[in-house]
Amino acid sequence: MIRIAVDLMGGDHGPGVVVPGVAKALERHPDIRFILFGLEAESLPELEKFPALMQASTFVPCEIAVSMDDKPSQALRHGRNRSTMWRAIEAVKTGEADVCVSAGNTGALMAMSRFCLRTMANIDRPAIAAIWPTVRGESIVLDVGATIGADAQQLIDFSMMGAAMARALFEIEKPTVGLLNVGVEEIKGQEEVKEAGRLIREAALPSLDYYGFVEGDDLGKGTVDVVVTEGFVGNVALKTAEGTARQIAGYLRAAMSRTLMARIGYIFAKGAFDLLREKMDPGKVNGGVFLGLNGIVIKSHGGADAEGFAAAVDVGYDMVRNGLKSKIEHDLNLFHTRRATLSAPDEDSSSI
Amino acid sequence: MIRIAVDLMGGDHGPGVVVPGVAKALERHPDIRFILFGLEAESLPELEKFPALMQASTFVPCEIAVSMDDKPSQALRHGRNRSTMWRAIEAVKTGEADVCVSAGNTGALMAMSRFCLRTMANIDRPAIAAIWPTVRGESIVLDVGATIGADAQQLIDFSMMGAAMARALFEIEKPTVGLLNVGVEEIKGQEEVKEAGRLIREAALPSLDYYGFVEGDDLGKGTVDVVVTEGFVGNVALKTAEGTARQIAGYLRAAMSRTLMARIGYIFAKGAFDLLREKMDPGKVNGGVFLGLNGIVIKSHGGADAEGFAAAVDVGYDMVRNGLKSKIEHDLNLFHTRRATLSAPDEDSSSI
């Protein structure tokens, strides 16, 4: 049995989309038990439409819903202890739930998650990991916007956490990890990226296979399983890719309606276009994962439909089933123990 | 008459593609006079195929071609004063040419351009500006990889140079300018981006219309005419967009050959697909422009075909015809004079 806490009020549509999404996820994974946090008046009418879901869930009425444009500090001030978002996160802290899923606003969700769950031992900063569709399947990209900037050690932390997530989600034993960099020779890279590359190579971690530097176009190629960068660059890259996909979808629609021949062609190829749309839909591969906290929180796209929200619940389900949190803890411990051992002889020799 | 210096040896294909590209550009702009720098044995057989081009050109035989994987320092060591790339740049310095176009490797071209032409007065760092296809037409994005990092003043310099380029290329009187940022509230942005935003708003420059912050997905939307960012982020964004476009083109090809119905549809809609391919082809909107140097250098995509190279020449032609360099100098002067006037009273009052 996997226990999932859900914030019913998040997203652009609230319970009207979240509840059917949760119901879909239950169909696929009948071993989930849900704890659903919502405003009573808006949630119950939706829930009543899904008797099987009601059977598998506990509903917890709350006083407040964090709005999509609340600033993180506002959300914390007004919503702490009593908003649907806070209480869903808190259920992970108290151990009532294994994972929390919300489509609420990213800034508020991250602020509340940090405040409530705190960062793991040995982790300075949490990261948001995105699941990135590639030509080869899917990769994990982090950080896509939890914090701005990262030093070499934080980039290494991101590498280990991303690799643990790849092991949990894709069931790969030793995922390949690349550091995002730019390809102009000799001005190559920020100092912290270079240093992180050197350190991670030296550490020779058993949990990941360090590939080296990758560039922006390697994201779509799926060159590596995990791409690591700091939050500013990661956020720009993610939104640029989404924007480009929408732009091309627009071109495609325009091209297919321009002439009679094109419209006839479209009718014949409609099945293919539907498949393509599915491939290009960011909502289908949904779920940013907050890593580095004492508990897993999944952020679903605010504009996701029911299928998209269900996909985010699926991600949470897989994470728990495959022991993401203990994998991360194990890898971090190993790294820090190893580093302590490696640096010990130096300390000895300097004291002689 | 516009005089364009061309490095015939740059790019993946050398004179075999560059010469036909130059010939195409000449057909469109019969008032160009070319100075062509090449290795004799490889260039002359190509040139002989285009008598009209030979008529409109001076060919300058050189000793050395910079290779696509020479490091900038190597290229400078071996190729200074005698490579086709150096001599094409030098023609701009001596005033023999108005602009230089090369498809050679970016790092070497930038290193040689900086060394030979030097940065303009009041400019610390040059930038590479890309012409970005958008839903609304085209935008200018800079810096896409000349240097890593930029402080607030450098971001303002980029804004002014990018706006001058938009005025020259798109013939807009007062282009809109946005600073690339991330959208998570309250962790919003690097300090230097915030400061640049504040300063540029205060300066109220007559040459541009400051829009505010934009995000990664605004690039494809064409929200502003000019998007400003530092070189690491700009380079990642550019390559991510190119990679995403290629990825979707791959999906499209796969989708259209999957079933018989799709293949029939493809035949009907072939004209539409051809148009789409043209829209999505990065080679069609070709030409990174080096800004901030005492002379304009255009970098064509290394993998561009003849049509792509011709597009890069077109960009150079438009830049010169519309007085890009004097526009930039004028705007920079105005900004610095204005700032001197603004800060003058402060200095006076502190000395009282």
Side-chain angles (χ1 to χ4, degrees), chain A residues 69-74 106-107 132-135 137 144-148 180-190 193 215-221 229-233 235-248 251-252 255-256 258-259 261-269 272-273 275-276 279-280, chain B residues 69-74 106-107 132-135 137 144-148 180-190 193 215-221 229-233 235-248 251-252 255-256 258-259 261-269 272-273 275-276 279-280:
Chain A
D69 37 46
D70 276 352
K71 288 188 180 169
S73 56
Q74 282 179 322
T106 310
W132 196 289
T134 75
V135 171
V144 296
T147 55
I148 302 280
L180 193 58
N181 203 338
V182 297
V184 185
E185 274 297 339
E186 281 177 21
I187 64 151
K188 210 168 225 163
Q190 296 160 309
V193 176
E215 295 190 51
D217 52 345
D218 289 304
L219 289 161
K221 284 186 202 162
T229 187
E230 61 83 29
F232 192 97
V233 172
N235 189 273
V236 168
L238 180 69
K239 289 191 175 146
T240 301
E242 287 177 355
T244 304
R246 267 198 294 274
Q247 179 182 0
I248 295 174
Y251 290 161
L252 190 59
M256 288 304 129
R258 196 186 302 261
T259 63
M261 289 286 269
R263 284 197 294 269
I264 294 171
Y266 178 80
I267 293 166
F268 275 97
F273 280 110
L275 256 173
L276 182 71
K279 276 255 184 205
M280 284 172 66
Chain B
D69 36 47
D70 275 353
K71 289 189 180 168
S73 55
Q74 282 178 322
T106 310
W132 195 290
T134 76
V135 170
V144 295
T147 54
I148 302 281
L180 192 58
N181 204 338
V182 298
V184 184
E185 273 297 339
E186 281 179 21
I187 63 151
K188 210 168 227 166
Q190 295 160 308
V193 176
E215 295 190 50
D217 52 346
D218 288 303
L219 289 161
K221 283 184 201 161
T229 187
E230 61 82 30
F232 192 96
V233 172
N235 188 273
V236 168
L238 180 68
K239 289 191 176 147
T240 300
E242 287 178 354
T244 304
R246 267 197 294 273
Q247 179 183 1
I248 295 174
Y251 289 161
L252 190 60
M256 288 303 129
R258 197 186 304 261
T259 63
M261 289 286 269
R263 285 197 294 270
I264 293 170
Y266 177 80
I267 293 165
F268 275 97
F273 278 111
L275 256 173
L276 182 71
K279 275 252 184 210
M280 285 172 65

Side-chain angles (χ1 to χ4, degrees), chain B residues 31-270:
Chain B
D31 59 331
I32 303 181
R33 289 300 164 269
F34 288 104
I35 316 177
L36 306 172
F37 297 85
L39 303 193
E40 209 159 350
E42 296 176 43
S43 306
L44 290 187
E46 291 300 328
L47 280 171
E48 279 161 11
K49 298 178 193 163
F50 301 92
L53 176 60
M54 293 208 33
Q55 202 81 43
S57 307
T58 310
F59 176 72
V60 181
C62 304
E63 291 167 48
I64 272 183
V66 170
S67 102
M68 287 308 272
D69 36 47
D70 275 353
K71 289 189 180 168
S73 55
Q74 282 178 322
L76 266 176
R77 208 161 43 237
H78 301 304
R80 204 178 139 198
N81 297 327
R82 55 192 195 132
S83 63
T84 57
M85 187 185 274
W86 176 276
R87 296 203 53 195
I89 299 166
E90 202 179 29
V92 175
K93 189 188 179 189
T94 59
E96 290 162 81
D98 302 306
V99 58
C100 159
V101 184
S102 172
N105 96 59
T106 310
L109 189 64
M110 179 48 92
M112 284 192 173
S113 299
R114 281 182 90 153
F115 198 91
C116 180
L117 298 171
R118 307 280 164 188
T119 50
M120 284 177 155
N122 289 319
I123 291 286
D124 280 342
R125 291 180 175 202
I128 303 176
I131 299 164
W132 195 290
T134 76
V135 170
R136 292 177 46 210
E138 289 173 352
S139 298
I140 288 163
V141 180
L142 74 165
D143 173 24
V144 295
T147 54
I148 302 281
D151 62 23
Q153 181 55 51
Q154 285 156 354
L155 291 172
I156 294 173
D157 293 342
F158 293 173
S159 303
M160 287 189 286
M161 296 194 298
M165 180 168 155
R167 283 155 61 212
L169 197 62
F170 309 145
E171 304 182 19
I172 307 170
E173 212 173 300
K174 206 169 171 173
T176 51
V177 175
L179 290 170
L180 192 58
N181 204 338
V182 298
V184 184
E185 273 297 339
E186 281 179 21
I187 63 151
K188 210 168 227 166
Q190 295 160 308
E191 284 317 307
E192 51 275 24
V193 176
K194 290 187 209 168
E195 197 195 338
R198 198 175 49 73
L199 290 174
I200 201 166
R201 205 179 281 285
E202 278 173 18
L205 298 164
S207 62
L208 61 87
D209 180 5
Y210 177 59
Y211 173 91
F213 297 141
V214 294
E215 295 190 50
D217 52 346
D218 288 303
L219 289 161
K221 283 184 201 161
T223 306
V224 289
D225 300 314
V226 182
V227 176
V228 172
T229 187
E230 61 82 30
F232 192 96
V233 172
N235 188 273
V236 168
L238 180 68
K239 289 191 176 147
T240 300
E242 287 178 354
T244 304
R246 267 197 294 273
Q247 179 183 1
I248 295 174
Y251 289 161
L252 190 60
R253 267 195 306 277
M256 288 303 129
S257 59
R258 197 186 304 261
T259 63
L260 181 62
M261 289 286 269
R263 285 197 294 270
I264 293 170
Y266 177 80
I267 293 165
F268 275 97
K270 190 168 178 311

Side-chain angles (χ1 to χ4, degrees), chain A residues 45-295:
Chain A
E46 292 299 328
L47 280 170
E48 278 161 10
K49 299 177 192 163
F50 301 92
L53 176 60
M54 293 203 42
Q55 201 81 43
S57 307
T58 311
F59 176 74
V60 183
C62 304
E63 292 168 47
I64 273 184
V66 170
S67 102
M68 287 307 274
D69 37 46
D70 276 352
K71 288 188 180 169
S73 56
Q74 282 179 322
L76 266 175
R77 207 160 45 238
H78 301 304
R80 204 176 138 198
N81 296 327
R82 53 192 195 132
S83 63
T84 58
M85 187 185 274
W86 176 277
R87 296 203 53 195
I89 299 165
E90 202 180 27
V92 174
K93 188 188 179 185
T94 59
E96 290 162 80
D98 302 305
V99 59
C100 160
V101 184
S102 172
N105 97 59
T106 310
L109 189 63
M110 178 49 90
M112 285 193 172
S113 299
R114 282 182 88 152
F115 198 92
C116 182
L117 297 171
R118 306 280 165 189
T119 50
M120 284 177 157
N122 288 319
I123 291 286
D124 280 342
R125 291 183 174 198
I128 303 176
I131 299 164
W132 196 289
T134 75
V135 171
R136 291 177 46 209
E138 287 173 351
S139 299
I140 288 163
V141 180
L142 74 166
D143 172 25
V144 296
T147 55
I148 302 280
D151 62 22
Q153 182 55 51
Q154 286 156 353
L155 290 172
I156 295 172
D157 293 343
F158 293 173
S159 301
M160 287 189 286
M161 297 195 297
M165 179 167 156
R167 283 154 60 210
L169 197 63
F170 309 146
E171 304 183 20
I172 305 170
E173 213 173 299
K174 205 169 172 172
T176 51
V177 175
L179 290 171
L180 193 58
N181 203 338
V182 297
V184 185
E185 274 297 339
E186 281 177 21
I187 64 151
K188 210 168 225 163
Q190 296 160 309
E191 283 317 307
E192 51 274 27
V193 176
K194 290 187 208 167
E195 196 194 338
R198 198 175 48 75
L199 291 174
I200 202 166
R201 205 180 280 284
E202 277 173 19
L205 298 163
S207 62
L208 61 86
D209 179 5
Y210 177 61
Y211 173 90
F213 297 140
V214 293
E215 295 190 51
D217 52 345
D218 289 304
L219 289 161
K221 284 186 202 162
T223 306
V224 289
D225 299 314
V226 181
V227 176
V228 172
T229 187
E230 61 83 29
F232 192 97
V233 172
N235 189 273
V236 168
L238 180 69
K239 289 191 175 146
T240 301
E242 287 177 355
T244 304
R246 267 198 294 274
Q247 179 182 0
I248 295 174
Y251 290 161
L252 190 59
R253 268 194 306 276
M256 288 304 129
S257 58
R258 196 186 302 261
T259 63
L260 181 63
M261 289 286 269
R263 284 197 294 269
I264 294 171
Y266 178 80
I267 293 166
F268 275 97
K270 191 168 177 312
F273 280 110
D274 290 347
L275 256 173
L276 182 71
R277 188 172 308 117
E278 208 159 292
K279 276 255 184 205
M280 284 172 66
D281 178 9
K284 287 296 288 184
V285 186
N286 198 9
V289 179
F290 293 2
L291 298 175
L293 302 167
N294 292 305

